[in-house]
Amino acid sequence: MHIEEPTTHEPEAPLSVEDSHSFSESQPLQKGQKDLSQENLDPCQCSQTALKMALIANGLGLWDWNLITNKTYYDPRWKRILGYEVEEIDHDHKSFEQLVHPQDLPRIHQVLHDYLEGCTPVFEVEFRMLTKSGEWKWILACGKVFQWDEFGKPMRMAGTHKDISQDKAIATQQYQLFEQLQKEIIQRQSIEDQVREKSQQLETTLEELKYTQKQLLQNQKMANLGQLVADMANEINNPVSFIYGNLHPASQYAEDLIRVIELYQHYYPTPTPVIALHLQRLNLGFVKTDFLKLLWSMRAGSERVKEIVFALRNFSTSDEGQMKKVDLHEGLDSVLRILQHRLKEQPDRPRIEVIKKFGELPLIECYPGDLNQVFMNILTNAIDALEERIKHDYSFTPTLFIHTEIISNHLSLVNSNELWVDKRLGKKHKVIIRISDNGKGILPHIQRQIFEPFFTTKPIGKGKGLGLSISQEIIVEKHQGKLKCNSQLGQGTELIIEMNTTARHYAVIRKHASF
């Protein structure tokens, strides 16, 4: 790389600088020593004196390097920066390289090469040098070529050394503080992330606790209500049974008495005036006819009360944490009897027709009270949907469809990767219960949320959003079954319950689990 020569090629004198002790302002003039004040110096000497004082003031040491001979002049200040006396360092470049830290020497060569090749405008590099006390000092070297040969090849360069150990220590300390600050920031961010994650976990846990608390409260209310209904059903059943049991003989007695009166009228057609007057007031013909009708109406009413009491007792049966084999059709009929007041004709709507298509089902091992609650929740929602459509379309016939059947295990109506067969029992079967209505249907985005806890489309006070959520838990978790909803707008909604005919107990589930 060619480096341009200066405008003048006159050879410059070597930068032979006198000992820096000669320029200490604090030392008095000795005998025979010349006064270096500006009054006694020529302009050249004044410039040299100002240069030396500037070097001393800035803590700089001067060096002058002959690139041809490799001889280097180091002024006394340069040597004292490292703690050496004047005579302890030879004036050659090797003396410099011997004091440089071995790890920094390659960097110095690279910077020098880049400068001499013209890649950088000035030679400037930081490195460590060995002091007389054995410590390493950080030095900042700056220099420039000031003499070239006739071919433009650099011959001499000069520059300064400055002790930057203190600045380097401050910079190192600042860098360490910066690194420590970065670590603290990262740690704080990590802590904040952990706190945020813990907060989210706590929020999730709190929501779960709220749901569990409300669910437990709901279950407790249902349990208390079930027990209360069972107790009240027993209390009602006793007098109703007494009335129902005595209505038949009372009817027989009434018929016998009426028969006796008719015999008297036949054999004694002319009663006494007093009896004739009472018969006229009594209207005996009407009483005979209406009294028997009244007794038979009371008998029919007591039979209806007995049916309702039986349905309440069946619905609120206490499972005591044990499964039982029951007839699911009895549970469905019991729920329909309880809901009869909502199915019959109302002043503002027609009667809701119930179409039952019951298949031949075996006794199903289940928790009957819980299943009755599921039937109640699903049928209540279906009735609500029908009443909602009646408000906008009074012309259609509201109808509930209940269909039950038993199918083979491989014909599951609710898609699942699970196909569990108990080899001890041979081929398994599933029971399917469909409960559908011809209401207005459910929107797709709402259909995806109907099993979520506390989700409801009903106005405040009309629903808590727990019915289908609890129903799914009862079917899926307690009975290892499946509950699915199919709905189309304008055509209605269908809830499908799929259960095993035989309960899957916990030990068997664990045995067949894939974990």
Side-chain angles (χ1 to χ4, degrees):
M1 176 70 184
H2 175 70
I3 301 178
E4 293 184 2
E5 300 182 11
T7 55
T8 60
H9 294 277
E10 297 180 1
E12 299 184 20
L15 296 177
S16 55
V17 183
E18 296 179 11
D19 194 309
S20 62
H21 287 293
S22 302
F23 308 101
S24 174
E25 296 180 354
S26 61
Q27 291 182 351
L29 292 174
Q30 301 296 327
K31 186 178 180 179
Q33 190 175 16
K34 295 181 180 180
D35 185 2
L36 297 179
S37 63
Q38 294 187 3
E39 291 82 356
N40 299 321
L41 293 176
D42 57 27
C44 182
Q45 289 176 327
C46 287
S47 298
Q48 290 185 355
T49 301
L51 173 62
K52 293 174 183 178
M53 297 305 293
L55 293 174
I56 293 172
N58 289 280
L60 300 175
L62 190 66
W63 53 269
D64 180 5
W65 180 21
N66 189 319
L67 300 175
I68 305 300
T69 63
N70 224 21
K71 291 294 183 179
T72 307
Y73 169 76
Y74 307 106
D75 77 341
R77 181 68 183 173
W78 187 96
K79 298 176 182 180
R80 288 193 179 95
I81 288 176
L82 302 175
Y84 295 100
E85 298 298 330
V86 176
E87 65 276 3
E88 290 180 325
I89 296 179
D90 296 333
H91 291 278
D92 57 53
H93 193 66
K94 289 183 179 179
S95 300
F96 164 76
E97 292 189 342
Q98 289 173 354
L99 296 175
V100 174
H101 196 287
Q103 294 180 357
D104 298 339
L105 197 57
R107 185 170 69 256
I108 295 174
H109 291 161
Q110 183 62 44
V111 174
L112 178 62
H113 176 269
D114 292 344
Y115 168 67
L116 295 177
E117 291 293 325
C119 299
T120 55
V122 67
F123 171 72
E124 184 175 294
V125 63
E126 295 178 358
F127 50 88
R128 289 164 290 180
M129 293 192 73
L130 185 63
T131 64
K132 187 175 180 178
S133 62
E135 299 176 346
W136 293 100
K137 274 191 175 182
W138 278 97
I139 302 295
L140 172 62
C142 298
K144 268 194 172 186
V145 174
F146 68 90
Q147 187 176 358
W148 293 262
D149 62 11
E150 59 182 353
F151 301 105
K153 182 177 180 181
M155 296 177 60
R156 288 177 66 186
M157 64 183 297
T160 59
H161 275 196
K162 183 178 181 180
D163 181 7
I164 59 170
S165 299
Q166 186 175 359
D167 296 339
K168 204 72 175 177
I170 294 174
T172 302
Q173 184 179 7
Q174 291 177 343
Y175 179 74
Q176 291 175 349
L177 290 174
F178 178 72
E179 281 191 331
Q180 183 178 358
L181 181 61
Q182 278 189 323
K183 289 181 180 178
E184 290 179 356
I185 292 174
I186 293 173
Q187 290 177 354
R188 183 171 298 178
Q189 288 178 345
S190 177
I191 293 173
E192 290 177 354
D193 292 341
Q194 292 177 1
V195 170
R196 192 178 299 107
E197 183 179 355
K198 290 292 184 183
S199 177
Q200 291 177 351
Q201 292 177 355
L202 288 175
E203 288 180 2
T204 303
T205 304
L206 181 61
E207 291 297 325
E208 291 177 353
L209 287 175
K210 287 181 179 179
Y211 167 66
T212 304
Q213 182 183 15
K214 292 182 179 180
Q215 191 174 21
L216 289 174
L217 181 62
Q218 179 73 9
N219 291 340
Q220 184 65 34
K221 287 181 179 179
M222 290 300 297
N224 294 337
L225 179 61
Q227 185 63 44
L228 177 63
V229 170
D231 294 340
M232 291 299 296
N234 288 329
E235 292 295 326
I236 296 172
N237 187 58
N238 292 331
V240 169
S241 297
F242 174 77
I243 294 172
Y244 179 78
N246 289 315
L247 279 175
H248 182 72
S251 300
Q252 188 65 46
Y253 297 156
E255 289 179 2
D256 293 340
L257 290 174
I258 291 173
R259 179 61 179 165
V260 171
I261 292 173
E262 289 177 347
L263 289 174
Y264 267 99
Q265 287 178 328
H266 178 72
Y267 289 104
Y268 301 98
T270 306
T272 62
V274 176
I275 295 175
L277 180 61
H278 278 283
L279 289 175
Q280 185 178 0
R281 291 176 179 176
L282 182 61
N283 194 358
L284 183 60
F286 172 78
V287 170
K288 288 192 298 180
T289 304
D290 192 59
F291 184 51
L292 291 177
K293 290 181 178 180
L294 179 62
L295 289 175
W296 285 108
S297 296
M298 292 175 62
R299 185 173 182 180
S302 61
E303 287 180 351
R304 173 63 182 152
V305 173
K306 283 181 65 67
E307 289 179 357
I308 294 174
V309 169
F310 175 78
L312 289 173
R313 292 177 63 183
N314 189 20
F315 177 79
S316 61
T317 180
S318 178
D319 298 329
E320 299 178 353
Q322 296 181 354
M323 285 192 166
K324 299 178 182 178
K325 287 189 175 182
V326 297
D327 184 355
L328 294 185
H329 294 158
E330 291 185 359
L332 287 167
D333 287 334
S334 298
V335 174
L336 289 173
R337 290 192 190 100
I338 295 173
L339 294 175
Q340 190 64 38
H341 68 287
R342 296 198 61 186
L343 298 174
K344 66 182 181 179
E345 184 178 358
Q346 304 288 343
D348 57 343
R349 66 165 178 80
R351 181 178 67 89
I352 297 177
E353 184 179 355
V354 179
I355 299 177
K356 297 187 294 184
K357 185 179 179 182
F358 289 168
E360 294 184 4
L361 301 184
L363 297 179
I364 307 301
E365 190 174 7
C366 62
Y367 296 97
D370 289 336
L371 275 186
N372 289 340
Q373 184 179 352
V374 172
F375 298 153
M376 175 69 75
N377 292 336
I378 295 176
L379 286 169
T380 300
N381 284 338
I383 294 173
D384 291 341
L386 292 173
E387 290 179 343
E388 185 66 25
R389 181 174 179 180
I390 291 173
K391 293 179 182 179
H392 303 89
D393 183 8
Y394 194 81
S395 61
F396 91 111
T397 302
T399 308
L400 282 175
F401 304 90
I402 304 176
H403 176 234
T404 64
E405 62 178 326
I406 188 167
I407 62 173
S408 299
N409 189 49
H410 67 283
L411 297 176
S412 173
L413 299 182
V414 183
N415 294 332
S416 174
N417 295 327
E418 174 192 18
L419 288 176
W420 177 77
V421 178
D422 191 347
K423 295 180 179 179
R424 299 172 302 172
L425 302 176
K427 186 176 182 180
K428 283 207 50 100
H429 293 85
K430 291 182 178 294
V431 59
I432 304 297
I433 305 168
R434 300 171 180 265
I435 301 176
S436 58
D437 62 74
N438 60 344
K440 63 179 183 179
I442 304 175
L443 292 170
H445 70 279
I446 295 178
Q447 188 175 341
R448 291 190 293 268
Q449 297 177 275
I450 60 173
F451 295 113
E452 294 180 3
F454 309 110
F455 175 80
T456 179
T457 57
K458 299 176 183 177
I460 298 175
K462 294 295 184 179
K464 302 298 183 183
L466 285 171
L468 291 180
S469 174
I470 293 175
S471 299
Q472 186 183 50
E473 180 182 354
I474 291 173
I475 297 298
V476 176
E477 296 185 13
K478 297 192 72 170
H479 293 85
Q480 289 78 50
K482 301 161 192 174
L483 179 61
K484 183 180 179 182
C485 174
N486 296 323
S487 182
Q488 291 185 359
L489 288 178
Q491 298 186 17
T493 303
E494 178 185 53
L495 272 296
I496 304 176
I497 301 172
E498 181 178 305
M499 294 173 50
N500 294 304
T501 55
T502 304
R504 294 174 56 185
H505 298 284
Y506 182 73
V508 180
I509 297 173
R510 292 279 299 179
K511 183 177 180 181
H512 291 83
S514 59
F515 53 85

